[in-house]
Amino acid sequence: MENGFEDLIASYIENKVGISEHFLSPELANHLKQNLIDLNQKSLLLAAGIGNSEKVSYDGAIRSDSIYWLDKKHKNVFEDEFFTQIDAFILYLNESCYAGITGYEFHYSLYEKGDFYLKHLDQFKNNPSRKYSMISYLNSNWQESDGGELMIHQENNNQKIAPTQGKTIFFKSNELVHEVLITNNTRMSITGWLKSD
């Protein structure tokens, strides 16, 4: 487990974008993906908004994905396993990098064919509590023709990241403008933020 943690931190230090190819085990990724599929079949996902609870709006011209918030109150064994891993990563991050993370929030994210999310930062102007963004992908057998890459914009170094299953991305929420390119296939992930309130 700690190898995945160190992969995220070492690549983040090198390039401002942490990448671990196997942060999630294949078994956990498959179970979380099935959870997301089941939730979608029950019509429990909601249109994703822009902004936070104090100032939220919905604009399909900016983002068109659907989401469902993870919560320990669900008492879902696989969501709880995911939270256990996040708790361990935060402990490792705080002890090794003095990050000061005190909480987090995560949601499932579903992009259907044709969906996208235009360029944005993850930290709100009216609330700086989001410190790091994390995205864990749940897409097996993803092909280049499927699109849906995460495009991270850095000066002289734009980075296009395929959303392949098990891969997790980690970066500062207030630093890097990023977008989700148009997907040509169903694209699934868990997206969230490590916070310091």
Side-chain angles (χ1 to χ4, degrees):
M1 185 184 293
E2 286 191 357
N3 287 340
F5 297 171
E6 191 54 41
D7 287 346
L8 279 183
I9 293 170
S11 50
Y12 165 76
I13 290 170
E14 180 179 346
N15 188 39
K16 294 187 177 180
V17 181
I19 300 178
S20 171
E21 295 290 342
H22 305 289
F23 184 85
L24 297 183
S25 70
E27 295 79 13
L28 180 56
N30 281 328
H31 287 306
L32 291 167
K33 176 169 56 180
Q34 190 59 53
N35 273 0
L36 175 49
I37 291 168
D38 292 345
L39 290 164
N40 188 46
Q41 288 175 343
K42 295 174 184 175
S43 301
L44 293 175
L45 275 71
L46 300 173
I50 302 153
N52 59 8
S53 58
E54 297 171 25
K55 188 178 181 182
V56 64
S57 62
Y58 298 89
D59 187 343
I62 295 175
R63 71 180 297 187
S64 51
D65 58 315
S66 301
I67 66 170
Y68 181 90
W69 290 97
L70 280 68
D71 196 315
K72 291 180 179 177
K73 293 177 183 175
H74 297 159
K75 299 191 183 302
N76 178 282
V77 62
F78 303 116
E79 289 182 23
D80 286 347
E81 186 178 343
F82 175 79
F83 286 137
T84 296
Q85 185 148 340
I86 293 298
D87 288 335
F89 175 64
I90 289 172
L91 182 63
Y92 189 88
L93 181 67
N94 284 343
E95 289 181 347
S96 61
C97 301
Y98 307 102
I101 299 304
T102 57
Y104 52 80
E105 57 186 4
F106 284 91
H107 62 66
Y108 289 113
S109 186
L110 175 69
Y111 288 75
E112 302 282 13
K113 183 177 180 179
D115 285 345
F116 58 89
Y117 192 170
L118 297 184
K119 290 182 185 178
H120 63 282
L121 279 174
D122 280 349
Q123 193 177 86
F124 301 123
K125 291 179 180 178
N126 65 343
N127 185 340
S129 64
R130 288 180 175 178
K131 301 304 180 187
Y132 294 95
S133 302
M134 288 188 74
I135 309 160
S136 293
Y137 294 112
L138 307 174
N139 308 293
S140 54
N141 304 314
W142 196 260
Q143 305 296 316
E144 187 175 354
S145 60
D146 292 330
E149 296 95 341
L150 177 70
M151 176 70 84
I152 296 180
H153 297 271
Q154 296 195 61
E155 189 174 347
N156 302 320
N157 185 31
N158 290 346
Q159 191 171 358
K160 190 187 287 188
I161 300 170
T164 52
Q165 180 157 304
K167 181 187 295 178
T168 292
I169 311 299
F170 172 77
F171 56 91
K172 264 201 164 176
S173 299
N174 67 341
E175 275 190 357
L176 298 183
V177 172
H178 55 286
E179 62 183 309
V180 176
L181 303 180
I182 292 174
T183 185
N184 301 315
N185 206 339
T186 301
R187 178 191 190 274
M188 294 174 281
S189 66
I190 293 178
T191 298
W193 301 273
L194 308 186
K195 303 174 73 175
S196 180
D197 293 314

